[in-house]
């Protein structure tokens, strides 16, 4: 647990490096060492606890690059705008800690669910399993219909006002469509070499979510103000309970339903519970992100359920399958210990990153981040991955330029998977000339 949390604390601070990318390499490495497989099968708790702590540490600590370095993943992209606002007010440390407290609340929620999950989850699974396709279709429809105009200025002329109203909405629809086309290509005609197929989506996600924001930081001339290290936070029991409720609702929904990320789940839950306070929003996103990443993995250990949700569960299932309540309780213990350890690390790592961005010009930090992102794509996926990453960056710049929702970029997964679940994916792919 300690080793996994410490490794996650380093990897989580690396912009856009998803913990799944590293975990997949670990699993492949283990699978190639035939001497290690018998040991893993006889002592599965070592690998299980290590991977649980990896994802737990990542879920809590990865808010640091999202807020300070502007390189969010698909689950934390919603937190960027309020987090950036806090950063420009000199309160980036507060935003990171509030998000980390949300992670602890997410861990408490999973502990609360331990006695209930074996009884409740099988019922939910039987209820929703036949209807996943149209549920995902409704989520797509809601994301499109809930996009709203970002203009509002008084402009002369009806046609100019119409264009102003539809500018951000149209950009959101275009982003959803283009990311969906990219997703169909990646699903039916993958460009990444076969030997790197486990990293097929890496260049797309880095291009859609990380590179556009880093480019915006490079072009920005606004300096990062001096950051204040707060000794306390303006939080109370009512705010924490509301944020936990909204975040647990969104993260739980994302954990149960395939392809729905913590960010999308948090968006739906935020609309359902009408949360407006920025502190509640940031904390609820921290809860949602934790329940999405860690909760989806935890479902793999629930007796009588063993749901395989998320990349970490799929990877672990290749070498180990939990079957007893003993493994179930060990899993929640590992999550709780890693959560507490990760929160302590957040406080120190945030201070280190603040020293970095206040001593080195933010544009230079962003340029170094951009260079690392491009190098990351090339190392994992080669030249074909760079092609995908550049195309994805063009799509990801649409929300940045026209101020539409970044969640529309999730069409890269939502559209092809929804079409496949509805049974019309191959037909659409054939119409596109992909098969």
């Amino acid at each position: 647990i300690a080793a996994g949390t410490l490794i996650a604390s380093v990897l989580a601070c690396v912009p856009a490096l998803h913990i799944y990318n590293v975990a997949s390499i670990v699993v492949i490495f283990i699978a190639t060492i035939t001497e290690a497989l018998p040991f893993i099968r006889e002592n599965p708790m070592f690998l299980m606890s290590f991977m649980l702590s990896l994802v737990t540490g990542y879920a809590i600590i990865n808010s640091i690059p999202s807020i300070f370095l502007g390189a969010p993943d698909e689950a934390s992209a919603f937190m960027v705008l309020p987090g950036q606002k806090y950063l420009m007010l000199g309160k980036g440390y507060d935003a990171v800690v509030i998000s980390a407290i949300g992670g602890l609340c997410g861990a408490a929620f999973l502990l609360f669910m331990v006695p209930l999950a074996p009884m409740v989850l099988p019922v939910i699974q039987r209820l929703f399993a036949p209807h996943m396709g149209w549920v995902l279709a409704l989520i797509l429809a809601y994301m499109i219909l809930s996009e709203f105009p970002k203009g509002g200025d008084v402009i002369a002329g009806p046609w100019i006002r119409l264009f102003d109203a539809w500018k951000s909405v149209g950009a959101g629809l275009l982003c959803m469509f283009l990311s969906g086309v990219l997703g169909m290509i990646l699903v039916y005609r993958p460009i990444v070499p076969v030997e790197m197929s486990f990293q097929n989506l890496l260049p797309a996600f880095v291009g859609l979510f990380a590179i556009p924001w880093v480019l915006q930081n490079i072009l920005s001339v606004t300096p990062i103000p001096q950051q204040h290290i707060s000794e306390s936070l303006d939080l109370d029991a009512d705010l924490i309970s509301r944020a936990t409720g909204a975040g647990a609702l969104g993260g739980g929904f994302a954990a149960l339903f395939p392809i729905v990320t913590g960010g999308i789940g948090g968006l739906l839950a935020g609309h359902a519970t009408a949360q407006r306070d920025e502190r509640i929003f940031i904390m609820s996103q921290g809860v949602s992100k934790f329940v999405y990443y860690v909760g989806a993995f935890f479902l793999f250990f629930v007796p009588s359920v063993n749901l395989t949700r998320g990349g970490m569960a799929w990877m672990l299932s290749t070498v180990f399958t939990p079957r007893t309540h003993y493994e179930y309780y060990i899993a929640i213990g590992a999550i709780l210990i890693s959560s507490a350890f990760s929160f302590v690390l957040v406080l120190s790592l945030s201070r280190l990153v603040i020293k970095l961005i206040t001593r080195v010009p933010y544009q230079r930090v962003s340029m170094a981040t951009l260079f690392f992102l491009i190098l990351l794509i090339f190392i994992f996926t080669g030249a074909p991955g760079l092609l995908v990453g550049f195309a994805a960056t063009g799509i990801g710049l649409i929300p940045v330029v026209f101020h539409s929702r970044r969640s529309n970029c999730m069409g890269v997964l939502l559209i092809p998977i929804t079409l496949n679940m509805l049974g019309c994916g191959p037909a659409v792919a054939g119409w596109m000339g992909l098969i």
Side-chain angles (χ1 to χ4, degrees):
I1 295 170
T5 307
L6 285 172
I7 292 173
S9 69
V10 175
L11 298 177
C13 290
V14 178
L17 181 60
H18 205 293
I19 199 65
Y20 289 173
N21 302 127
V22 177
S24 62
I25 296 174
V26 171
V27 172
I28 290 174
F29 178 72
I30 291 173
T32 57
I33 303 177
T34 55
E35 296 83 2
L37 289 177
F39 176 80
I40 293 297
R41 293 193 180 99
E42 294 172 9
N43 306 275
M45 297 303 163
F46 289 98
L47 180 62
M48 183 188 86
S49 300
F50 176 74
M51 296 188 74
L52 275 166
S53 59
L54 271 181
V55 71
T56 300
Y58 177 81
I60 291 181
I61 300 172
N62 84 323
S63 57
I64 292 177
S66 298
I67 292 173
F68 288 120
L69 302 177
D73 63 4
E74 77 283 358
S76 59
F78 284 88
M79 193 172 61
V80 168
L81 290 179
Q84 289 285 309
K85 180 178 179 181
Y86 266 63
L87 179 68
M88 298 312 296
L89 292 174
K91 303 194 311 182
Y93 180 82
D94 289 12
V96 171
V97 176
I98 290 173
S99 175
I101 292 174
L104 293 181
C105 294
F109 171 75
L110 292 185
L111 178 63
F112 172 77
M113 289 299 298
V114 165
L116 301 177
M119 297 180 292
V120 175
L121 290 180
V123 178
I124 296 176
Q125 186 181 13
R126 289 194 300 269
L127 178 64
F128 282 101
H131 310 291
M132 288 294 185
W134 65 261
V135 170
L136 290 178
L138 286 178
I139 293 172
L140 266 174
Y142 182 80
M143 290 174 62
I144 294 172
L145 293 172
S146 61
E147 185 75 67
F148 56 90
K150 305 295 193 304
D153 297 332
V154 178
I155 302 174
W159 291 106
I160 298 178
R161 288 199 300 270
L162 181 64
F163 172 78
D164 184 61
W166 271 92
K167 183 171 60 177
S168 61
V169 178
L173 293 174
L174 179 62
C175 181
M176 176 77 75
F177 172 75
L178 292 178
S179 62
V181 171
L182 178 63
M184 292 292 291
I185 294 172
L186 294 178
V187 169
Y188 286 96
R189 282 282 186 89
I191 302 174
V192 175
V194 175
E195 60 272 15
M196 290 294 182
S197 59
F198 62 95
Q199 305 286 7
N200 185 37
L201 292 175
L202 168 67
F205 277 111
V206 172
L208 289 169
F209 294 101
I211 293 180
W213 201 268
V214 174
L215 288 174
Q216 186 182 35
N217 291 339
I218 293 173
L219 296 175
S220 174
V221 295
T222 304
I224 299 299
Q226 186 70 29
Q227 298 297 303
H228 175 66
I229 307 296
S230 302
E231 297 297 329
S232 63
L233 295 171
D234 184 20
L235 303 175
D236 54 30
D238 177 66
L239 187 147
I240 293 174
S241 62
R242 289 163 59 194
T244 302
L249 177 63
F253 184 82
L256 284 170
F257 286 85
I259 311 304
V260 180
T261 66
I264 294 176
L267 169 71
L268 299 176
H271 284 194
T273 55
Q275 305 295 350
R276 291 292 182 267
D277 193 300
E278 288 180 344
R279 296 165 300 168
I280 294 179
F281 183 85
I282 293 175
M283 184 179 290
S284 66
Q285 288 294 313
V287 177
S288 177
K289 182 174 56 172
F290 186 93
V291 175
Y292 164 59
Y293 281 126
V294 184
F297 193 17
F298 187 56
L299 293 175
F300 184 58
F301 300 92
V302 178
S304 72
V305 178
N306 295 123
L307 272 175
T308 308
R309 288 284 187 269
M312 199 68 81
W314 282 108
M315 285 181 274
L316 186 60
S317 66
T318 61
V319 294
F320 165 68
T321 300
R323 301 185 185 280
T324 67
H325 282 78
Y326 173 69
E327 294 156 340
Y328 180 50
Y329 296 131
I330 289 291
I332 188 63
I335 290 170
L336 295 176
I337 294 171
S338 181
S339 299
F341 192 13
S342 300
F343 182 78
V344 175
L345 290 172
V346 162
L347 304 180
S348 300
L349 291 171
S350 298
R351 288 178 167 90
L352 289 175
V353 175
I354 287 173
K355 289 181 180 179
L356 171 66
I357 65 173
T358 53
R359 293 181 180 179
V360 180
Y362 199 55
Q363 281 78 8
R364 291 186 183 179
V365 175
S366 299
M367 288 179 183
T369 302
L370 177 62
F371 174 78
F372 172 79
L373 294 176
I374 296 174
L375 182 63
L376 181 72
I377 295 175
F378 181 75
I379 290 174
F380 279 109
T381 59
L386 288 176
L387 180 63
V388 175
F390 292 149
T393 299
I395 300 171
L397 283 171
I398 295 175
V400 175
V401 174
F402 294 98
H403 308 291
S404 61
R405 283 191 188 139
R406 294 167 62 87
S407 61
N408 294 314
C409 293
M410 279 305 298
V412 69
L413 282 183
L414 279 172
I415 289 178
I417 300 302
T418 300
L419 290 175
N420 285 340
M421 285 190 169
L422 293 174
C424 55
V428 174
W431 175 74
M432 295 175 62
L434 298 174
I435 55 176

